Amino acid sequence: MSEPLFEKIALIGIGLIGSSIAINIRERGLARHVAISTRSEATLKRAEELRLGTSYALDPAEAVRDADLVILSVPVGASGAVAKAIALALKPGAVVSDVGSVKGSVVAAMRPHLPDHVNFVPAHPIAGTEQSGPDAGFLELFENRWTILTPVESASEKAVADLAELWRACGARVETMTAEHHDLVLAIVSHVPHLIAYNIVGTAADLETVTQQEVIKFSASGFRDFTRIAASDPTMWRDIFLNNKDAVLEILGRFSEDLASLQRAIRWSDGDALFDLFTRTRAIRRSIVEAGQDTAEPNFGRRPPRKDPWNEPGE
Ligand code: NAP
């Protein structure tokens, strides 16, 4: 192993994000020792079977002892309690970070518990899938995706640089901003889109005039793309909306106004208004592909599922 970035890293929480970080550390030799802690025995056992770390403990305080870097990958609503549980065992000078999808409330929940002698650098990798648990992690999850760092003022420059280096070593690109700005940006690019998906899938499920069987059968016409997002982890997303209320409500207010003008355009047969909007939105899609954040292949590169002639569903 060439000189690793950190001597010891502690990963608290080992689901999709924690295990993807662990695989990157292992495969790229980013630390000599990786201590893993999670709240359930079953997940801890699975992490050990998958060889995600070098030591395993149910007690997070035991895992963080002597760690140079501690990363919490737990639901944002749990981060305060975990910070409290590890506070007394943290090594002076250690970097403490997390991966939570909301930053303002995580800082507010964790900071009061953390001793002054650690460097608190919250982070958020903008990468994920709708899968969870230690089996869901994979090496390429962060490849070419952004990780946003929101360091508190007292964190040292070296701590921020070291954490940025770890994320770059995992394949990510790194940007730094305040927690407040992060929460507003994420409300528009992630949180409100998820709410819209949850809402439309819920509406379809509750319709009396169109059967659920019809919704499922004809879903390839657009609906199924919402269902991928609406299948995201309920605990994680409940916590996100409860912890990013202000920014989500602000963006949702704008969204409702814009939806009302679309409603009006349809009612008054204002085809120009519809056409202009759809032309602008198409350009945004092109910019995302050009920025390397998605594939240009038709239908996101998906092929139609192969038909199983022995098990053809009845029409
Ligand atoms: P996950 O796969 O569901 O794993 C969650 C981990 O947290 C597990 O180790 C679980 O432990 C532990 N945990 C759950 N509830 C807990 C509690 N109340 N107290 C302590 N530990 C608890 O979740 P994930 O997708 O990796 O998400 C983890 C964090 O990453 C979240 O804060 C989320 O906002 C953020 N994030 C997620 C995505 C994404 O797309 N999934 C993307 C970016 C950031 P047990 O299994 O032992 O119960």
Side-chain angles (χ1 to χ4, degrees):
M1 189 198 279
S2 59
E3 209 43 39
L5 284 172
F6 291 90
E7 193 59 33
K8 175 177 173 181
I9 298 179
L11 299 176
I12 315 299
I14 196 75
L16 167 71
I17 303 293
S19 64
S20 296
I21 297 172
I23 291 168
N24 271 276
I25 297 171
R26 184 185 68 199
E27 298 302 311
R28 303 179 198 273
L30 306 179
R32 237 180 277 278
H33 187 80
V34 181
I36 287 176
S37 178
T38 186
R39 86 185 153 158
S40 75
E41 267 179 47
T43 304
L44 194 66
K45 185 163 169 278
R46 188 64 193 137
E48 192 164 0
E49 283 165 3
L50 293 166
R51 297 188 306 106
L52 294 174
T54 51
S55 70
Y56 304 85
L58 279 175
D59 178 7
E62 187 184 325
V64 305
R65 209 153 276 131
D66 297 321
D68 310 289
L69 170 65
V70 176
I71 303 180
L72 273 57
S73 305
V74 299
V76 290
S79 51
V82 175
K84 188 174 176 194
I86 60 173
L88 291 177
L90 289 167
K91 172 176 157 178
V95 182
V96 177
S97 188
D98 78 312
V99 297
S101 309
V102 180
K103 296 276 59 102
S105 70
V106 166
V107 172
M110 288 181 66
R111 206 173 180 186
H113 300 295
L114 297 178
D116 291 340
H117 62 65
V118 300
N119 293 287
F120 186 25
V121 189
H124 177 203
I126 316 290
T129 72
E130 64 281 15
Q131 311 287 323
S132 25
D135 285 281
F138 56 101
L139 183 71
E140 301 82 7
L141 180 64
F142 309 114
E143 200 67 53
N144 206 24
R145 298 280 171 258
W146 287 94
T147 292
I148 298 177
L149 306 186
T150 65
V152 302
E153 324 77 61
S154 56
S156 75
E157 271 179 36
K158 181 176 180 329
V160 180
D162 287 350
L163 187 66
E165 201 45 42
L166 178 96
W167 280 108
R168 284 195 200 96
C170 294
R173 299 195 255 171
V174 177
E175 190 153 314
T176 301
M177 61 180 73
T178 65
E180 294 69 32
H181 191 64
H182 166 278
D183 288 354
L184 195 62
V185 172
L186 266 291
I188 182 64
V189 299
S190 170
H191 305 169
V192 170
H194 273 77
L195 199 69
I196 293 166
Y198 282 124
N199 190 48
I200 194 152
V201 175
T203 303
D206 292 343
L207 277 183
E208 292 83 25
T209 43
V210 177
T211 66
Q212 273 209 35
Q213 211 190 3
E214 286 172 311
V215 169
I216 291 165
K217 188 158 124 188
F218 302 121
S219 62
S221 46
F223 181 73
R224 69 163 184 208
D225 291 338
F226 285 100
T227 61
R228 184 189 67 76
I229 296 180
S232 300
D233 185 66
T235 307
M236 168 177 154
W237 283 92
R238 175 201 63 199
D239 281 10
I240 287 175
F241 291 114
L242 296 181
N243 286 279
N244 197 20
K245 273 187 194 170
D246 292 347
V248 166
L249 292 176
E250 186 179 330
I251 299 294
L252 213 47
R254 263 302 286 271
F255 174 80
S256 309
E257 277 176 34
D258 292 344
L259 192 62
S261 40
L262 273 179
Q263 218 172 344
R264 199 173 319 110
I266 294 170
R267 188 182 310 287
W268 295 105
S269 300
D270 186 352
D272 288 349
L274 297 176
F275 189 85
D276 286 351
L277 175 68
F278 301 165
T279 307
R280 276 198 292 133
T281 54
R282 212 175 205 196
I284 290 186
R285 170 75 196 162
R286 258 200 307 275
S287 314
I288 289 171
V289 170
E290 277 161 21
Q293 296 300 302
D294 207 351
T295 170
E297 280 199 50
N299 200 18
F300 309 110
R302 282 188 302 219
R303 302 276 167 266
R306 225 166 49 86
K307 274 193 184 162
D308 178 355
W310 302 109
N311 193 17
E312 199 65 36
E315 291 280 306

